[in-house]
Amino acid sequence: MIERTLWHPVALSHVVGTQPRAATLLGEDLVLWRDDSGQAHALADQCPHRGARLSMGRVAGGQLECPYHGWRFEGGGRCTHIPAVPGFQPGPRHGAHAFDTREAYGMLWVRLAAPEGAPGPIHDLPAFAAESEPRLRKTTSGPYVVQASAPRIIENFLDMAHFGYVHEGWLGSRDRPEIAPYQVAATPHGVKATGCLAWQPRASVHSTSVAQVDYTYEVTAPYMAVLTKQPEPGTTAIDGLRESIAMFICPVTEESSVAWTRMAMNDFDSPDARLIDFQNTIFGQDQPVLESQRPKKLPLAPDAEAHSAADRMSSAYRRFLKDSGIRWGVIA
Ligand code: FES
Ligand code: FE
């Protein structure tokens, strides 16, 4: 399954520590923890001995200790100690299954299977890279626990025609619902829409008046998208406001997800809470609609749902998922 070879975000980096925590990715239960050197690990959350949840255990001496009989595991999954038989040297059969982890963009990422050939890079998101964009301040909102499939959440993130209804008075107005034609193009890793114009009463925490906002949307991986929004000059408290928002999603089950938004903007003054509050408000408006959608899995057949010309980006996203062989969270 191709989804298993992709990197997925599973937790904010700073919440993963020496207290083991549970997460679920693509239906797989994981235990996340850090060893004494600060290295983060993800193991199957099922002890190879009698199946107890390792996330109920503790980290001791830089190793994960099972809550049931105290077997100890290294970050790579090797079992080092069986307290009931202290002289015994555990072998590979006593080990826990370990998954690849990476840390980037303030998150811990896991992939469940290594792809064939060269290891895949983690998603390249230039606006969010600490090194390449030190002039942009990064903040993350979430986790949002959503009873919706990851593709439904991404598609909503790419959708402008709901602004005037779901986000009335914020990102749109029902008096100005029209979506002007915009351009959609395939990219090496997904799809991109440019020239997406929205009339927004309150486009961000920095808005000082209604504004025409120019959006660029980019799907960078099957369950990931980034938008960049540029309000017309003179409508924000910050001159030349630059703002990118990435939607990070952990596909938990086929019909439920955990989402975060990662913001990158040239604002170093607003308190985190203010920026996060705004995102919480917007996502809180989206969530009930997302959870109401049926079917919960995104139908990829072109005639499965009705479309309008305003939905070109969503149609392109569905085609991309189909062409990528994605099965999780979709009706292929
Ligand atoms: Fe984990 Fe026995 S179930 S040590
Ligand atoms: Fe929305």
Side-chain angles (χ1 to χ4, degrees), residues 156-157 159 162-163 166-167 171 282 285-286:
N156 168 68
F157 183 76
D159 181 89
H162 76 285
F163 284 170
V166 175
H167 306 295
L171 305 185
I282 299 299
Q285 294 167 342
D286 285 312

Side-chain angles (χ1 to χ4, degrees), residues 145-285:
V145 177
V146 195
Q147 300 307 314
S149 63
R152 283 281 194 198
I153 300 172
I154 290 296
E155 194 178 71
N156 168 68
F157 183 76
L158 303 172
D159 181 89
M160 296 207 302
H162 76 285
F163 284 170
Y165 297 88
V166 175
H167 306 295
E168 185 170 24
W170 295 76
L171 305 185
S173 160
R174 62 180 64 217
D175 302 331
R176 301 281 295 262
E178 190 177 336
I179 302 298
Y182 53 89
Q183 293 75 50
V184 177
T187 69
H189 302 291
V191 278
K192 188 171 184 172
T194 50
C196 309
L197 297 176
W199 185 89
Q200 303 197 314
R202 200 166 159 192
S204 72
V205 296
H206 309 99
S207 297
T208 51
S209 68
V210 298
Q212 176 94 340
V213 183
D214 188 343
Y215 279 74
T216 298
Y217 289 98
E218 191 164 0
V219 172
T220 55
Y223 309 131
M224 190 179 319
V226 181
L227 67 77
T228 302
K229 53 199 281 185
Q230 202 161 8
E232 61 189 314
T235 61
T236 59
I238 293 176
D239 235 12
L241 179 68
R242 278 190 63 192
E243 189 176 8
S244 293
I245 300 176
M247 176 58 81
F248 291 158
I249 301 181
C250 176
V252 174
T253 70
E254 292 213 75
E255 301 188 351
S256 67
S257 311
V258 179
W260 298 262
T261 62
R262 178 83 162 162
M263 298 161 260
M265 59 182 77
N266 54 350
D267 167 8
F268 288 86
D269 299 326
S270 301
D272 276 358
R274 192 161 170 245
L275 301 171
I276 291 170
D277 262 13
F278 187 89
Q279 291 304 317
N280 288 349
T281 300
I282 299 299
F283 200 84
Q285 294 167 342

Side-chain angles (χ1 to χ4, degrees), residues 50-90:
R50 289 294 178 266
R53 272 195 186 272
L54 293 172
S55 55
M56 289 165 55
R58 61 176 195 148
V59 176
Q63 301 188 342
L64 182 63
E65 184 187 88
C66 178
Y68 199 0
H69 310 97
W71 289 23
R72 288 202 179 180
F73 304 92
E74 290 179 335
R78 191 173 75 88
C79 179
T80 60
H81 185 54
I82 296 180
V85 197
F88 176 69
Q89 192 61 255

